[in-house]
Amino acid sequence: MEKEDVKVLNKGEEEEMELQGYRLCRWRLALVGIGVLCTGGFLLLLLYWMPEWCVKSTCNRTTARDADVVLLRSTDEFRRWFLARVRVMLAPGSNPFHSLETQTTSPSSPSCPFSSLSLANGHTPNPSDGSHAQELIKRYADYQPTQIRYFTFHSTKYYWNDGLQNFDVFIGLDDLHVSCSNLHSEHSAGLTKNQQEYRRLFFGVNEIAVKVPSVFKLLIKEVLNPFYIFQLFSVILWSADEYYYYAVAILFMSVISIATSLYTIKKQYIMLHDMVATHSVVRVSVCRASNEIEEILSTDLVPGDVMVIPSNGTIMPCDAVLVSGTCIVNESMLTGESVPVTKTNLPNPLPGESGEEDDSAYNTEDHKRHTLFCGTHVIQTRFYTGELVKAVVVRTGFSTAKGQLVRSILYPKPTDFKLYRDAYLFLLCLVAVAGIGFVYSIVLSILKKEPAKTIIIESLDIITITVPPALPAAMTAGIVYAQRRLKHLGIFCISPQRINICGQINLVCFDKTGTLTEDGLDLWGVQRVENGSFHLSEENAYKENLVKSQFVACMATCHSLTKIEGQLSGDPLDLKMFEATGWILEEATEEETSLHNRIMPTVVRPPKQLLPPEPAVSPEQDMELYELSSTYEIGIVRQFPFSSALQRMCVVARLLGEKRMDAYTKGAPEVVASLCKKETVPENFAEILEGYTKQGFRVIALAHRRLESKLTWHKVQNINRDHIEGNMEFLGLIIMQNKLKAETPAVLQELHRASIRTVMVTGDNMLTAISVARDCGMIPPKDTVIIADALPPHDGQAAKITWRYAEKLSKTSCVEEVNISLEEVCHVDEPKTQELYHFAMNGKSFAVISEHFPDMLQKLVLHGTVFARMAPDQKTQLIEVLQGVDYFVGMCGDGANDCGALKRAHGGISLSELEASVASPFTSRTPNISCVPSLIREGRAALITSFCVFKFMALYSIIQYISVTLLYSILSNLGDFQFLFIDIAIILLIVFTMSLNPAWKELVSRRPPSGLISGPLLFSVLTQILICLGFQTITFLWVRRQSWYTVWTPLTDACILSSHLNVSDHNNTEVDDHNIQNYENTSLFYVSSFQYLVVAIVFSKGKPFRQPSYKNWPFVLSALSLYVFLLFLLFHPVKSIDMFLEIVCVPFEWRVKLFLIILVNAAASVLVETFILDIVLWKLVFSRDKQGSFGVTPVAATPQGAIDLRAYKCLSRLCCPSKMAPKARYMHLAQELSVDPDWPPKPTTTTEAKSLPENGSSYQIMTNS
């Protein structure tokens, strides 16, 4: 094997990483140690910041197998480096699933097919693990102790696998790819004590350990941030230069900043620790291989253990699959839905009837209806007499569903935002400028023969002037204020850095149910079917004549409702349906169940007032027989829970007194109709169904089948649902109404006006989703909806997409007119007549298109508005695809199944305050989407504030740099108290008040730029630098040309009225070693002080993203006070203040000239920033950046808008004669599609995947004949 090999971990997964092996090298370590001593510890800091340098400078490359240290690099766009120490443990075997005993219930597999999934695993072994291993090795003397190499990274253990010649992860029982029947036959008896201990060596302690770091650890980590190190360097330097006051001020600010940061981080760790600690250690009963029940701590559980679920419920300490009994579980921790879910035991196909598809390998995703997930609350269990409710442990620790959620919170991906990358680039530019000043000051000082100490301090001082140490605190201020404003709006933020990113959002995905619409459903009506034809729709089924009909029996039995503490509980849809019948549900108590040898069925019966009156009882009739015959009740014998894959649920029930059983099914109308006899489904079924779905109703179909008399109770308990769900009779439809929330249409209209795209991502039916999208204004009435139906490859045929319209187009519209254009900006006077189109697709089509038409998918999401029947992971994939075409994506969901998407989006807002919202950066107290525009508005305000502050801080450092550089040429400098006045009285006061502007009251149709490296911002900064440089240079040169000018000394003071005696007395007592007091210094101090205030005012932007600066009274008050104070100082010198600031007295006419310089400087700054930049360049960039309706630039709303747009076109022809390509990928795609004659696809076409892509395209469009 080559030494330079690079291994890939978790291939194809989200956490894919490249791995390189290294061995420690002593001589390299010694050299680094010497380097650390020589640099005073700075090299150590550098190696701490750069893990790859640390490893490469202290180690030699080796194979991954022999490595002491592994260097890891993520393969995502961030390409981050990590290092991990390789450890060695001794164990009796190399595989957790090896059998150490001759007789065991666990399979002895010589080689375990390791999985390459990137799921989290394990926990670092306890100190006791070593002794466990020693004991096991002694106990199994025949076994040769094996050395196992492993490393831990992000709470996951990676073990060396000789078979794969790579490090790999042990996840759990999934590694064995065990089938459902094998799970029952080979894994349901339990493990021996020895097997459990052996497996624990590999899987570790079953615990999701969120260690809350000590304040000291957090402090060290925070203080070692490069910014704080630079601040420390600055403080030391200023102290050496006797500049104590500002050093103390910066030190104080840094301490406050670090303390706030530590408090926030610590609080988040404690919150997460408390969230996972609820189930970390509980006592559980496990079945041993010797048929004994043993009570152990949940931390000792390992995959393969058989756990007994107590009847009074528990919080699950691991992921486990039910092998006997039934559980009712609250899964709100994972899904956000507080609705109890019924979990049934894993089906055990009998050898005679099991086909290939029936006995599939167990998988937590496919068999989630049988899996109890870690952290979920088992409310109650139902069981057979003499049989316990048992579950086989599948995964433990960080491998569990909850463990993965916690890991994603503990180790999030960094937020990639142009602003932060540009900020570092900008700082590098400032460092380069500082480097020039550094060299300049050294050369100048040497030529003037300055002492060495002065040269070192003054040259290093130039660096601290150019790179402002107060920058981090200043940048944070705007975000802190925005966070505070969001809190007042009821929006809570756990990731403050995301607020700025929210200012860039130009597309928002919405979940439907509970987000756009009300949470619950209301029964709108029912439409029964008899003899193959529909009755008229009826308001409800609560009628005497229907009480004994199969339709009502199906409504009363086909559900997963249960009674918890006397209250009916379950899916809201089931609840509404059952309540509409008016029937009563009764469940057997534990005592009743224990008297029988099977689970007592749940019984439903109608209220007595609905039953027809019975004839009076005669005395000779047996009362008991009479009661039995007059009672009408149905027992639910077996439930097949709702499956999202099958889109239906089914129950087997028996009417009291009947021998034969009945099967009732409810589900998606198309699915249920396909299971029924054709003659029982009305001919106009599709037409009626489409009529309801177009109106936005949720439609559920019901069906019934009379089962054969040979099907006994025992057979029903073991039968596969496919044998029951077929050959049924269609009973009719239930029509449910899901009302829009009152705020929804107005909010979507506001987003549309702001040119922010809105997309619906839902698990609901396609046509219902399209209808809701039309109702709420997401799809305007005249727009066309094109449905993409994709089919996977089948019988040798390639995958294909068929295109159809959701509804027939009106006569006035025509398919050929449907197009997309970026050229609309050139035809301002012509109103846009083309009709827009929207794509809609379901989850299955999305999966097929993702796999077989990857380049088509990007084109579809450009106009995709409705994504229906989407699974949780597909929602996340959609967000990724949208981000892949350069959209800034917001996601708003109610926490139910939206966790992944909320985390992945640039700005995820959860409307649920349940635990699932821990994964979301933002949580809204207001349970509607009105929080979305509020968040975007605040994000835009915070982003503009960040630009203003950054620009101001850059100008502040450059203005001061210019002053100091000019003064260095005459061996002068600014005085300590001049620096102090500028840095504290002007800069800090202005920075912390200019960030207070609240957000603008409405969303406008343009976005702030995303980065600092953009035309207008660079133009703004550079022009202001040149203006300031020009006016300071003019002042510096002009003062030296004045008739009264001479080199200043106390005796040659230019002020005629000043008392020479007093001045000389003052200066005799304090000798001016640093040559601070001179005419150049005083003149530059006045001009530069006003320059700081001028740039602060011109940079403090208001409309259209923030409220105008005059509404920010702390800023106005601060700026006015400083103006008044400086003007007073200029025209009315106060001796004590002049002495304090080391200002010299200058003639009155020079003061007037200085005032004129300041006025002209201010006028130039305002003119350039307000007129040239705001009116011309700002609009030029925004017009190009504006995306409008899905890539089409909206027509200017006002005559002024049209004039501005014409002006922009003229200017763009002058400035940029060659056509500029749009920056964003989605705009580039829109431009391509605008000239594509085959786009959008016509309803008569089919798009087929090619096996070999030609010309970069992986599909071809064909017209159906």
Side-chain angles (χ1 to χ4, degrees):
M1 187 190 288
E2 289 181 24
K3 282 203 170 190
E4 296 300 311
D5 67 331
V6 175
K7 302 290 183 188
V8 178
L9 293 182
N10 311 320
K11 193 159 189 169
E13 298 298 323
E14 192 184 335
E15 283 195 351
E16 187 177 278
M17 289 178 293
E18 291 168 354
L19 178 145
Q20 298 168 22
Y22 285 86
R23 263 188 181 281
L24 280 169
C25 174
R26 287 182 181 176
W27 66 266
R28 282 178 184 247
L29 264 173
L31 276 179
V32 168
I34 294 163
V36 169
L37 288 171
C38 293
T39 56
F42 183 71
L43 181 61
L44 196 63
L45 266 177
L46 205 61
L47 297 180
Y48 170 76
W49 293 329
M50 307 290 227
E52 73 277 24
W53 291 10
C54 177
V55 172
K56 287 174 181 176
S57 60
T58 56
C59 304
N60 291 326
R61 272 299 293 272
T62 183
T63 58
R65 182 196 171 93
D66 303 322
D68 294 331
V69 176
V70 288
L71 188 59
L72 305 163
R73 192 178 194 184
S74 63
T75 56
D76 57 17
E77 67 272 28
F78 303 106
R79 305 289 286 162
R80 291 170 298 157
W81 292 94
F82 305 95
L83 62 90
R85 190 80 184 268
V86 177
R87 300 180 186 280
V88 178
M89 75 170 186
L90 286 172
S94 62
N95 187 309
F97 300 108
H98 278 167
S99 174
L100 295 182
E101 298 183 17
T102 49
Q103 291 184 337
T104 176
T105 54
S106 194
S108 174
S109 55
S111 63
C112 165
F114 289 177
S115 165
S116 65
L117 292 173
S118 69
L119 299 171
N121 180 65
H123 179 76
T124 47
N126 275 8
S128 60
D129 286 355
S131 59
H132 274 317
Q134 295 301 324
E135 282 174 31
L136 284 166
I137 290 163
K138 282 177 193 170
R139 212 172 293 165
Y140 298 99
D142 301 339
Y143 286 86
Q144 186 65 34
T146 311
Q147 271 200 354
I148 298 165
R149 303 176 75 82
Y150 72 95
F151 67 89
T152 306
F153 175 70
H154 283 182
S155 303
T156 304
K157 268 201 213 169
Y158 293 84
Y159 290 92
W160 178 256
N161 181 339
D162 271 326
L164 290 175
Q165 284 296 301
N166 198 356
F167 284 94
D168 210 357
V169 182
F170 288 117
I171 298 165
L173 220 53
D174 311 41
D175 294 335
L176 290 172
H177 304 295
V178 62
S179 66
C180 296
S181 57
N182 272 357
L183 223 150
H184 276 280
S185 60
E186 297 180 4
H187 292 271
S188 59
L191 303 174
T192 64
K193 186 96 173 151
N194 290 341
Q195 282 175 321
Q196 189 193 49
E197 284 180 11
Y198 173 58
R199 286 191 185 182
R200 207 181 316 133
L201 290 177
F202 295 89
F203 292 107
V205 177
N206 174 35
E207 187 178 28
I208 301 169
V210 178
K211 289 178 180 170
V212 180
S214 66
V215 174
F216 179 73
K217 265 190 183 176
L218 287 173
L219 180 68
I220 294 297
K221 197 175 177 184
E222 192 71 17
V223 167
L224 293 181
N225 183 306
F227 266 126
Y228 289 124
I229 294 295
F230 180 67
Q231 281 182 335
L232 184 67
F233 162 74
S234 304
V235 166
I236 293 166
L237 184 71
W238 294 329
S239 301
D241 200 18
E242 296 175 3
Y243 184 32
Y244 300 117
Y245 299 98
Y246 189 58
V248 169
I250 286 290
L251 199 62
F252 177 72
M253 277 193 336
S254 299
V255 167
I256 296 290
S257 174
I258 290 170
T260 310
S261 183
L262 288 187
Y263 174 75
T264 311
I265 296 168
K266 183 95 173 168
K267 192 177 169 187
Q268 282 181 13
Y269 267 113
I270 290 168
M271 202 169 95
L272 192 58
H273 177 268
D274 292 348
M275 184 190 108
V276 298
T278 47
H279 71 93
S280 56
V281 184
V282 290
R283 294 202 77 80
V284 291
S285 299
V286 291
C287 299
R288 288 281 171 237
S290 53
N291 290 328
E292 292 172 7
I293 304 279
E294 185 187 336
E295 199 174 84
I296 61 167
L297 285 174
S298 59
T299 48
D300 293 337
L301 288 172
V302 294
D305 268 326
V306 176
M307 179 181 167
V308 177
I309 312 293
S311 57
N312 60 343
T314 184
I315 288 177
M316 288 300 294
C318 57
D319 286 357
V321 59
L322 266 178
V323 286
S324 66
T326 307
C327 292
I328 292 150
V329 186
N330 182 332
E331 292 191 323
S332 65
M333 199 293 301
L334 287 181
T335 64
E337 302 243 7
S338 53
V339 174
V341 182
T342 303
K343 302 275 184 172
T344 55
N345 57 315
L346 188 75
N348 183 15
L350 301 171
E353 57 184 48
S354 66
E356 282 289 316
E357 65 283 350
D358 292 339
D359 196 17
S360 56
Y362 168 76
N363 177 301
T364 47
E365 189 54 43
D366 297 344
H367 298 95
K368 62 182 175 191
R369 280 286 176 185
H370 316 292
T371 307
L372 304 170
F373 292 103
C374 177
T376 60
H377 184 200
V378 177
I379 301 165
Q380 62 184 47
T381 60
R382 307 193 75 201
F383 52 89
Y384 305 104
T385 302
E387 274 204 46
L388 298 166
V389 178
K390 293 180 189 174
V392 177
V393 176
V394 181
R395 295 179 179 183
T396 57
F398 277 101
S399 292
T400 61
K402 185 168 183 175
Q404 289 173 61
L405 173 67
V406 173
R407 275 184 77 239
S408 67
I409 299 166
L410 278 174
Y411 312 107
K413 266 192 173 182
T415 47
D416 180 37
F417 190 39
K418 204 163 178 283
L419 172 70
Y420 303 127
R421 278 181 284 139
D422 287 358
Y424 283 111
L425 273 175
F426 213 90
L427 281 176
L428 283 175
C429 294
L430 290 178
V431 169
V433 172
I436 296 164
F438 179 73
V439 173
Y440 165 79
S441 67
I442 288 176
V443 171
L444 205 66
S445 300
I446 290 170
L447 290 174
K448 299 278 176 88
K449 295 178 180 175
E450 291 283 313
K453 186 190 174 187
T454 310
I455 294 174
I456 292 166
I457 287 176
E458 290 195 346
S459 55
L460 289 174
D461 201 28
I462 278 275
I463 295 171
T464 66
I465 287 168
T466 320
V467 184
L471 185 63
M475 293 287 281
T476 309
I479 294 171
V480 169
Y481 295 147
Q483 196 174 358
R484 200 171 65 188
R485 288 196 296 270
L486 283 172
K487 200 171 180 180
H488 286 309
L489 294 168
I491 301 168
F492 296 90
C493 172
I494 61 166
S495 179
Q497 294 302 325
R498 296 260 185 147
I499 298 173
N500 270 342
I501 302 174
C502 289
Q504 277 295 305
I505 286 173
N506 56 357
L507 183 147
V508 186
C509 295
F510 293 98
D511 180 39
K512 183 178 80 70
T513 312
T515 304
L516 296 173
T517 61
E518 296 290 353
D519 224 340
L521 290 156
D522 297 315
L523 185 77
W524 180 85
V526 297
Q527 193 153 5
R528 293 182 298 118
V529 167
E530 271 184 24
N531 305 322
S533 61
F534 279 111
H535 281 258
L536 290 172
S537 61
E538 300 159 272
E539 251 184 72
N540 60 50
Y542 190 76
K543 295 174 182 174
E544 278 188 29
N545 62 327
L546 295 180
V547 73
K548 292 191 177 182
S549 66
Q550 295 291 5
F551 187 89
V552 171
C554 186
M555 284 177 73
T557 57
C558 197
H559 53 71
S560 56
L561 299 177
T562 185
K563 273 197 170 172
I564 298 168
E565 293 175 4
Q567 289 288 313
L568 266 183
S569 184
D571 186 277
L573 187 146
D574 286 352
L575 210 53
K576 286 280 180 191
M577 182 182 76
F578 184 74
E579 283 170 357
T581 63
W583 283 40
I584 297 150
L585 179 139
E586 283 183 358
E587 285 183 328
T589 61
E590 281 186 41
E591 292 76 32
E592 288 174 317
T593 305
S594 61
L595 295 172
H596 302 79
N597 63 347
R598 61 188 183 212
I599 296 178
M600 283 288 285
T602 298
V603 171
V604 290
R605 62 164 183 272
K608 284 182 180 173
Q609 61 266 33
L610 276 184
L611 290 168
E614 295 291 334
V617 57
S618 56
E620 60 270 12
Q621 267 188 301
D622 188 332
M623 196 69 188
E624 222 172 279
L625 275 174
Y626 165 74
E627 276 182 8
L628 194 65
S629 64
S630 69
T631 307
Y632 183 83
E633 56 181 47
I634 303 171
I636 301 166
V637 177
R638 173 99 197 261
Q639 255 185 30
F640 296 100
F642 176 79
S643 158
S644 51
L646 300 174
Q647 295 183 6
R648 63 180 183 267
M649 83 163 287
C650 176
V651 294
V652 176
R654 176 188 271 161
L655 180 64
L656 189 71
E658 285 278 334
K659 283 187 179 177
R660 288 169 74 178
M661 297 190 195
D662 297 278
Y664 296 104
T665 297
K666 82 163 195 296
E670 307 90 336
V671 175
V672 171
S674 69
L675 301 172
C676 294
K677 299 173 193 167
K678 279 191 179 174
E679 62 272 17
T680 66
V681 181
E683 286 179 16
N684 60 343
F685 163 74
E687 197 181 315
I688 295 278
L689 174 63
E690 196 172 337
Y692 284 126
T693 51
K694 273 186 195 173
Q695 293 173 62
F697 292 116
R698 184 157 177 193
V699 184
I700 290 134
L702 306 181
H704 160 257
R705 175 182 164 191
R706 197 112 164 104
L707 296 177
E708 301 80 10
S709 53
K710 66 176 183 179
L711 277 175
T712 61
W713 188 93
H714 279 290
K715 279 187 180 174
V716 164
Q717 294 309 314
N718 295 309
I719 199 167
N720 195 300
R721 69 190 292 171
D722 296 344
H723 293 112
I724 289 172
E725 294 171 337
N727 211 24
M728 304 190 95
E729 285 180 26
F730 193 76
L731 294 177
L733 305 172
I734 297 175
I735 301 102
M736 312 290 278
Q737 191 174 20
N738 194 196
K739 291 176 186 167
L740 276 178
K741 287 184 178 176
E743 302 81 6
T744 298
V747 170
L748 293 178
Q749 197 178 357
E750 185 182 357
L751 293 173
H752 192 75
R753 278 199 304 269
S755 302
I756 294 169
R757 264 189 72 184
T758 51
V759 171
M760 186 190 293
V761 192
T762 176
D764 207 344
N765 170 284
M766 166 85 77
L767 291 175
T768 306
I770 292 170
S771 169
V772 171
R774 283 202 183 280
D775 289 348
C776 65
M778 201 176 271
I779 299 175
K782 291 182 181 176
D783 289 5
T784 311
V785 178
I786 304 169
I787 295 176
D789 285 323
L791 296 169
H794 185 64
D795 296 335
Q797 291 186 337
K800 62 180 181 181
I801 309 169
T802 50
W803 309 94
R804 62 187 172 93
Y805 286 151
E807 62 270 315
K808 293 178 181 71
L809 289 168
S810 58
K811 290 176 186 175
T812 54
S813 58
C814 173
V815 182
E816 274 63 42
E817 289 179 343
V818 180
N819 64 28
I820 180 171
S821 170
L822 273 180
E823 300 302 313
E824 289 306 307
V825 74
C826 300
H827 308 292
V828 177
D829 304 321
E830 302 165 22
K832 184 171 167 58
T833 53
Q834 286 110 322
E835 188 177 315
L836 289 172
Y837 60 93
H838 305 255
F839 287 112
M841 68 185 80
N842 60 24
K844 284 180 182 173
S845 297
F846 181 80
V848 172
I849 295 168
S850 299
E851 189 178 346
H852 300 283
F853 302 87
D855 48 347
M856 166 78 80
L857 187 61
Q858 292 197 335
K859 295 177 184 179
L860 287 177
V861 297
L862 197 67
H863 283 254
T865 303
V866 175
F867 295 85
R869 297 277 188 229
M870 295 284 275
D873 59 324
Q874 287 180 321
K875 290 183 180 183
T876 311
Q877 284 167 29
L878 175 64
I879 301 281
E880 286 172 350
V881 173
L882 289 165
Q883 288 172 336
V885 290
D886 296 340
Y887 276 113
F888 280 88
V889 185
M891 171 76 197
C892 183
D894 58 352
N897 306 323
D898 300 323
C899 282
L902 287 167
K903 270 188 310 203
R904 185 51 50 85
H906 290 109
I909 318 165
S910 168
L911 301 185
S912 153
E913 287 190 63
L914 291 159
E915 287 172 303
S917 68
V918 173
S920 175
F922 301 95
T923 305
S924 172
R925 276 263 171 91
T926 317
N928 60 60
I929 63 168
S930 61
C931 58
V932 175
S934 301
L935 178 64
I936 297 172
R937 270 199 305 273
E938 287 299 342
R940 287 179 173 187
L943 187 55
I944 287 295
T945 299
S946 293
F947 288 140
C948 293
V949 169
F950 204 96
K951 283 161 66 181
F952 176 66
M953 292 301 282
L955 255 293
Y956 143 63
S957 59
I958 294 293
I959 290 169
Q960 204 168 73
Y961 173 76
I962 293 165
S963 303
V964 170
T965 310
L966 287 170
L967 290 173
Y968 271 14
S969 67
I970 58 163
L971 292 183
S972 180
N973 199 348
L974 290 171
D976 284 358
F977 289 103
Q978 288 176 346
F979 272 124
L980 196 67
F981 174 75
I982 291 167
D983 293 344
I984 292 180
I986 299 181
I987 305 306
L988 292 187
L989 192 62
I990 290 295
V991 156
F992 289 119
T993 55
M994 82 189 294
S995 304
L996 285 167
N997 287 35
W1000 184 242
K1001 51 186 177 287
E1002 60 186 47
L1003 279 176
V1004 293
S1005 65
R1006 59 191 203 188
R1007 293 181 295 135
S1010 59
L1012 287 162
I1013 315 295
S1014 66
L1017 289 169
L1018 285 177
F1019 176 85
S1020 170
V1021 170
L1022 292 172
T1023 50
Q1024 293 300 334
I1025 287 173
L1026 290 173
I1027 289 166
C1028 293
L1029 173 66
F1031 282 98
Q1032 281 203 50
T1033 309
I1034 289 166
T1035 306
F1036 182 76
L1037 296 174
W1038 200 10
V1039 72
R1040 297 168 74 98
R1041 288 177 177 246
Q1042 297 304 304
S1043 56
W1044 46 265
Y1045 176 83
T1046 179
V1047 176
W1048 187 91
T1049 65
L1051 299 172
T1052 58
D1053 196 293
C1055 288
I1056 302 152
L1057 299 173
S1058 62
S1059 167
H1060 291 281
L1061 183 65
N1062 291 346
V1063 173
S1064 62
D1065 285 349
H1066 165 69
N1067 281 279
N1068 288 338
T1069 53
E1070 286 184 32
V1071 179
D1072 186 9
D1073 291 333
H1074 297 287
N1075 186 25
I1076 303 298
Q1077 291 176 303
N1078 54 58
Y1079 296 124
E1080 292 90 342
N1081 171 294
T1082 300
S1083 303
L1084 287 179
F1085 173 73
Y1086 279 128
V1087 171
S1088 66
S1089 294
F1090 278 103
Q1091 282 181 340
Y1092 298 125
L1093 293 174
V1094 167
V1095 294
I1097 287 164
V1098 296
F1099 283 166
S1100 190
K1101 302 281 184 195
K1103 192 178 170 184
F1105 304 116
R1106 304 197 306 166
Q1107 295 280 3
S1109 291
Y1110 62 78
K1111 287 192 177 181
N1112 177 357
W1113 64 264
F1115 175 69
V1116 172
L1117 200 65
S1118 305
L1120 274 176
S1121 306
L1122 286 164
Y1123 267 121
V1124 169
F1125 177 73
L1126 286 168
L1127 285 170
F1128 173 75
L1129 211 60
L1130 180 64
F1131 289 109
H1132 192 279
V1134 178
K1135 198 167 81 171
S1136 57
I1137 297 175
D1138 283 3
M1139 283 167 64
F1140 179 75
L1141 291 173
E1142 297 177 86
I1143 295 170
V1144 299
C1145 194
V1146 291
F1148 185 77
E1149 67 266 22
W1150 179 240
R1151 295 173 194 275
V1152 174
K1153 285 174 184 174
L1154 282 178
F1155 183 62
L1156 287 173
I1157 290 171
I1158 289 157
L1159 279 181
V1160 177
N1161 185 343
S1165 290
V1166 171
L1167 181 80
V1168 167
E1169 187 73 17
T1170 309
F1171 293 97
I1172 297 175
L1173 184 75
D1174 283 0
I1175 289 178
V1176 182
L1177 287 173
W1178 201 251
K1179 293 202 173 179
L1180 179 124
V1181 166
F1182 272 134
S1183 298
R1184 197 158 55 81
D1185 194 39
K1186 202 190 298 185
Q1187 125 245 0
S1189 299
F1190 323 161
V1192 181
T1193 307
V1195 176
T1198 60
Q1200 178 59 44
I1203 293 161
D1204 289 344
L1205 214 47
R1206 284 194 205 99
Y1208 148 67
K1209 285 197 294 177
C1210 299
L1211 192 85
S1212 62
R1213 286 196 190 103
L1214 287 170
C1215 302
C1216 327
S1218 60
K1219 192 172 177 182
M1220 290 183 76
K1223 285 181 187 175
R1225 180 145 172 71
Y1226 65 85
M1227 288 179 149
H1228 186 69
L1229 280 168
Q1231 213 170 46
E1232 281 179 15
L1233 295 177
S1234 66
V1235 293
D1236 187 345
D1238 294 325
W1239 196 266
K1242 311 295 183 286
T1244 53
T1245 58
T1246 301
T1247 305
E1248 277 198 4
K1250 290 180 187 173
S1251 52
L1252 292 166
E1254 293 169 27
N1255 305 325
S1257 175
S1258 61
Y1259 57 85
Q1260 57 184 357
I1261 296 172
M1262 303 182 305
T1263 305
N1264 295 341
S1265 54

